[in-house]
Amino acid sequence: MTSTPDPSGQSSAPRHGVFLIGFMGSGKTSIGLVVSRMLGWRFEDLDVRIQHRENRTIAQIFSNFGESTFRRIERQALLELLQEMQSSPMVVALGGGTAVQADNLDVLQRSGFPVAFLDATVDELWRRCLPFAGDRPLAKDENQFRQLYEKRHGIYMKAGTRIDTGGKFPEVVASELIARLQLTNAQGEVKSS
């Protein structure tokens, strides 16, 4: 196996990790959990980590402090996860807006870890998010939701791999992602889900 560059541009031993990006409702968390189970890697959801650190929901952070404060908190949490990934195999589900921030996308692309864009039609994403609209500050209005999807889609496409999650069970998508990225556990195996 070839070595991969670390964020500083130096070569290092092969590492095990993957970032999952995509719009709200694309399945980053549910698919990430399956991938982590299949590979025996740790799973981290960046939004959950932020909520635990800040002791409040993402919606509360947006409401009380605004999006710019949330993005600063998010950036710090992302950098911490990148450090942890140097020594711990990990599947990381990022918030829908994380990779849209130019400096975050740059860090992800230079990390040496694959970035997979999980996608579905905007209609399916809206249906998936509708029951949780109160917990998603940017999913309260369908027109705004669709516009935001269109705005972000081109940025998500910069990921090395796009996987369609539409109408598929998480286990099917996880198997496809593992195969396409050729991910394995430390022994070079994939556990069954």
Side-chain angles (χ1 to χ4, degrees):
M1 198 175 265
T2 61
S3 61
T4 43
D6 68 19
S8 67
Q10 299 177 349
S11 182
S12 63
R15 294 177 290 177
H16 294 88
V18 63
F19 288 103
L20 305 180
I21 67 170
F23 203 64
M24 294 171 263
S26 62
K28 299 179 298 289
T29 299
S30 57
I31 293 161
L33 284 165
V34 176
V35 170
S36 73
R37 189 170 59 245
M38 291 172 81
L39 296 173
W41 294 0
R42 189 169 123 205
F43 174 76
E44 285 282 344
D45 182 305
L46 186 63
D47 283 348
V48 171
R49 176 178 274 233
I50 291 167
Q51 290 177 134
H52 286 152
R53 279 185 50 187
E54 299 299 313
N55 200 28
R56 60 189 83 217
T57 66
I58 302 299
Q60 288 170 333
I61 297 169
F62 265 73
S63 175
N64 296 335
F65 304 104
E67 185 173 357
S68 62
T69 296
F70 171 75
R71 295 299 174 199
R72 281 195 303 276
I73 294 167
E74 178 184 61
R75 168 83 172 169
Q76 183 59 42
L78 175 62
L79 294 175
E80 289 171 6
L81 275 175
L82 274 166
Q83 283 293 90
E84 293 172 28
M85 289 176 78
Q86 303 305 314
S87 59
S88 177
M90 200 179 305
V91 179
V92 180
L94 300 179
T98 307
V100 176
Q101 312 306 310
D103 50 351
N104 289 344
L105 184 59
D106 183 54
V107 165
L108 292 173
Q109 291 175 327
R110 290 186 300 115
S111 73
F113 295 107
V115 180
F117 166 33
L118 304 183
D119 198 12
T121 67
V122 70
D123 290 328
E124 183 163 351
L125 295 171
W126 174 250
R127 280 193 305 276
R128 290 178 186 174
C129 288
L130 204 51
F132 310 102
D135 298 329
R136 297 175 182 265
L138 301 177
K140 297 186 185 297
D141 173 82
E142 184 175 359
N143 189 46
Q144 177 189 4
F145 184 91
R146 290 174 180 279
Q147 289 176 2
L148 189 59
Y149 172 83
E150 291 303 322
K151 180 179 176 182
R152 290 180 175 180
H153 193 267
I155 297 168
Y156 294 147
M157 289 296 289
K158 293 179 182 179
T161 303
R162 178 192 171 275
I163 297 182
D164 186 358
T165 67
K168 299 177 186 174
F169 289 109
E171 293 77 13
V172 172
V173 178
S175 294
E176 182 181 344
L177 185 145
I178 288 168
R180 288 194 41 203
L181 296 178
Q182 300 179 336
L183 303 174
T184 61
N185 65 14
Q187 292 75 38
E189 305 165 339
V190 176
K191 301 174 187 174
S192 63
S193 56

